Amino acid sequence: MTDSYTRLVNTGITKTLSKKLGLPRPAVLRRHRPGEPLTVGPVLVVSDAASKPDADAVAQTLLGWGTDVRREPSDDARWGAVVLVVTEAARPADVSDAVLAVGSVLRRLAPNGRVVTVSRAATDGDSPELAATRAGVDGFLRSLAKELRAGATGNGIVLTGGAAADSTSALATLRFFLSARSAFVDGQLLPVGPAPAGAEDAPVDDDRPLAGRVAVVTGAARGIGVAIAKTLARDGASVICVDVPAAGEGLARTANAVGGTALQLDVTADDAGTRILEHARSRHGRLDVVVHNAGILRDKLLANMKPEQWDAVTAVNLASQLRINAQLLEAGVQGLRIVSLASIAGIAGNRGQTNYGFSKAGVIGHTRATAPLVARLGGTANAVAPGFIETEMTRTIPAVTREMGRRASSLQQGGLPVDVAEAVAFLASPATVGVNGEVLRVCGQSWLGR
Ligand code: NAD
C-alpha cells in the first residue's frame, strides 16, 4: 500500500516528468521477503585503528551470514551497506579517516543501502575528549541519515554497560538495521547493553526467532495489530489475538489468518492481565511476549476537551498497559518481553492531542520504569514509536495535513503497518535481551521530535 504520489514518481512517464521537474521522489522501499539476501550488495566494514578487533569480529559474523564483506573502499562495487565501527575511538581525531572512508563510497551506495555505526555511549565518568568523541558519533549518524537517498537508511548501535560489539544483542541489532525489516527505521541510535545475569542469551534461528514462543497482541482486529500478529506468527510464535467484542469479526479473521487463538477482551477491564495469562496458560501452556498495541484517538483542543475524551484515551492507551504489566509481574512470569506502542506524538507533541500525547509519553515513561522490574525475571520492556503510518486511522486525516505528515521525513513517505510490526518482532526476539527500557522510532527520520 505505497501512497499514490510515491507510485507515480516511480513509474513510467510520470517518473521521467518528476525527475525533469525536480519534484521530491520518495523511493519504493525494499521490505523483507523470506529467502532474499540480507543486503542489496557487498558490505564495507571500516573502523579506526583501536576498534579494529571489534570490526574484525563484526566482519567475521557478516561472513557467517553469507554476506560479501570487504575491508577497503573501492570503486568497483555497488555497496549494499557500510558498517562504521568506532567502539574504541578515544579522541575526535581518531574517527576522521574511518568517517571519510564511509564518505568515499556513498555515491556508490545502492538504492535501499544501509549505513550502520557501532559506537559506545558517552557516560558521566568519561574524559571530556572521550565523551566528545562518543557523542559526536551520534550527531554524525543523525546528519548522515539526512543525506542518504533512494531508500537508503542510517542507524546506529550504541553499546552501553561494557556490552561487546559481537554480543548476541548487538549482532541481532546489526542484522535488523542492515536488513529490509528496518525499511522505515532511519536516523535512530539504539542503546544495546549486555544480557542481564541469568537471562537467556543464546543465538537464535534468524528466520524463526520466536519458534516455540507464545505472544499476545492487543488491538489485533485491524490496522497495525493485524500486521504485528502476522509478523510474530511468521517468526514462529503462537499468537493470541485480543480485541473488544465489538471487533469480534476482524479479531476472528486475524486469529484464523495466523493460526492463533482469539480472546475477546476490553483491555481496560480490571482483570485484563489475569485473563490474558489464564488464556495463554490454558490454551498455549505459556506466555512469552506481550504487545500493547490497542489504542484510540479522541482528538480535541484542550479548551474543548470533554472529560470522557480525556479519560477514554488515558484508560485504553496507558492505564490498561500499567494494570496488565502489574498483574503479569505479580504472577512472576519469567523472561517476559513487553513491547508497547508509543507514538512520535508522545515525543514531539501534537496540536489537538494533549490526551493522546499524555498517554503516549506516559507509555515511554512506564517502559523505562518497568524495564528493571521485568529484567529481574529475565525479561525486557521496550516501546516502539511510529511516525506517520498508512492505516485506516491516518486515511481519515484531512488531505493537506496527511500529505505533510507523509513527506516531513527523510524517507519522504508514510510507513506501512508491517514496518512497525518488524520493529516489534525485533524487540520481542530472544536475541535482543540486551535492549531494555528503550524507545525505537519507526518514522523514516521524521522531522518531528528528536
Ligand atoms: P486502529 O484504530 O486501526 O486499531 C486499534 C485496534 O485497537 C482496533 O482493532 C480497536 O478495536 C482496538 N482497541 C481499541 N480499544 C480497545 C480496548 N479497550 N480493548 C481492546 N482493543 C481495543 O489503530 P492503528 O493505527 O492500527 O494503531 C495501533 C497502535 O499504534 C495504537 O496504539 C496507535 O496509537 C499506535 N500508533 C499508530 C500510528 C499510525 O500512524 N497509525 C502512529 C503512531 C502510533
Side-chain angles (χ1 to χ4, degrees), residues 219 221-225 243-244 247 265-268 293-296 316 341-343 356 360 386-389 391 393-394:
R222 67 174 216 186
I224 293 170
D243 214 300
V244 287
L265 172 70
D266 185 330
V267 292
T268 63
N293 166 74
I296 59 170
V316 176
L341 269 287
S343 164
Y356 189 74
K360 294 301 185 179
F388 187 98
I389 306 296
T391 62
M393 193 184 88
T394 49

Side-chain angles (χ1 to χ4, degrees), residues 81-148:
V82 186
V83 181
L84 171 70
V85 183
V86 284
T87 42
E88 303 307 322
R91 291 177 304 269
D94 290 351
V95 303
S96 309
D97 288 350
V99 159
L100 295 171
V102 175
S104 74
V105 301
L106 286 182
R107 284 206 175 78
R108 290 180 307 283
L109 188 67
N112 287 293
R114 298 284 184 260
V115 177
V116 181
T117 56
V118 187
S119 61
R120 289 197 183 277
T123 59
D124 290 348
D126 291 346
S127 70
E129 279 212 311
L130 184 58
T133 311
R134 292 178 167 176
V137 177
D138 297 3
F140 161 76
L141 184 275
R142 286 201 184 93
S143 298
L144 174 60
K146 292 186 175 177
E147 294 181 9
L148 299 175

Side-chain angles (χ1 to χ4, degrees), residues 58-408:
V58 164
Q60 206 55 42
T61 303
L62 287 165
L63 282 172
W65 291 342
T67 316
D68 176 1
V69 183
R70 318 267 180 94
R71 300 304 300 276
E72 294 292 336
S74 65
D75 286 344
D76 62 332
R78 186 100 166 117
W79 298 100
V82 186
V83 181
L84 171 70
V85 183
V86 284
T87 42
E88 303 307 322
R91 291 177 304 269
D94 290 351
V95 303
S96 309
D97 288 350
V99 159
L100 295 171
V102 175
S104 74
V105 301
L106 286 182
R107 284 206 175 78
R108 290 180 307 283
L109 188 67
N112 287 293
R114 298 284 184 260
V115 177
V116 181
T117 56
V118 187
S119 61
R120 289 197 183 277
T123 59
D124 290 348
D126 291 346
S127 70
E129 279 212 311
L130 184 58
T133 311
R134 292 178 167 176
V137 177
D138 297 3
F140 161 76
L141 184 275
R142 286 201 184 93
S143 298
L144 174 60
K146 292 186 175 177
E147 294 181 9
L148 299 175
R149 294 286 174 264
T153 62
N155 291 292
I157 298 165
V158 183
L159 299 170
T160 63
D166 60 350
S167 66
T168 306
S169 295
L171 293 176
T173 307
L174 175 64
R175 195 177 169 95
F176 175 69
F177 283 157
L178 287 176
S179 75
R181 292 174 199 252
S182 60
F184 200 59
V185 180
D186 195 12
Q188 301 307 302
L189 292 148
L190 188 65
V192 178
E200 181 189 0
D201 183 27
V204 297
D205 176 346
D206 291 319
D207 291 326
R208 290 178 66 78
L210 295 172
R213 309 269 158 159
V214 176
V216 62
V217 181
T218 69
R222 67 174 216 186
I224 293 170
V226 177
I228 295 172
K230 287 183 176 170
T231 305
L232 298 182
R234 177 204 69 193
D235 282 359
S238 301
V239 182
I240 301 162
C241 305
V242 170
D243 214 300
V244 287
E249 209 177 299
L251 181 65
R253 207 170 28 244
T254 312
N256 284 339
V258 302
T261 55
L263 172 61
Q264 292 193 358
L265 172 70
D266 185 330
V267 292
T268 63
D270 284 344
D271 59 349
T274 310
R275 285 182 55 196
I276 286 170
L277 190 56
E278 275 168 13
H279 178 100
R281 286 187 170 153
S282 65
R283 301 289 294 275
H284 302 270
R286 57 190 286 166
L287 180 62
D288 304 284
V289 177
V290 176
V291 184
H292 292 297
N293 166 74
I296 59 170
L297 290 172
R298 298 286 184 273
D299 292 1
K300 276 279 176 242
L301 294 177
L302 186 59
N304 305 325
M305 182 83 65
K306 296 196 175 78
E308 56 271 26
Q309 291 163 333
W310 178 273
D311 291 345
V313 168
T314 53
V316 176
N317 296 7
L318 185 57
S320 71
Q321 297 191 8
L322 289 168
R323 199 177 306 111
I324 291 171
N325 287 352
Q327 288 168 7
L328 296 177
L329 284 172
E330 173 75 23
V333 180
Q334 294 287 320
L336 193 62
R337 314 301 296 267
I338 301 170
V339 187
S340 302
L341 269 287
S343 164
I344 58 167
I347 298 170
N350 218 3
R351 185 181 149 84
Q353 292 198 321
T354 50
N355 50 0
Y356 189 74
F358 177 90
S359 72
K360 294 301 185 179
V363 166
I364 293 171
H366 86 60
T367 297
R368 296 217 163 102
T370 304
L373 307 179
V374 76
R376 281 183 215 143
L377 299 169
T380 62
N382 291 291
V384 170
F388 187 98
I389 306 296
E390 303 285 353
T391 62
E392 282 170 49
M393 193 184 88
T394 49
R395 259 199 293 276
T396 64
I397 298 173
V400 174
T401 318
R402 189 170 65 223
E403 205 46 22
M404 277 163 48
R406 276 186 181 133
R407 308 295 162 218

Side-chain angles (χ1 to χ4, degrees), residues 146 186 188 344 387 408-410 441 443-450:
K146 292 186 175 177
D186 195 12
Q188 301 307 302
I344 58 167
S409 72
S410 292
R441 289 175 57 146
C443 63
Q445 199 176 26
S446 163
W447 299 345
L448 295 179
R450 211 173 95 119

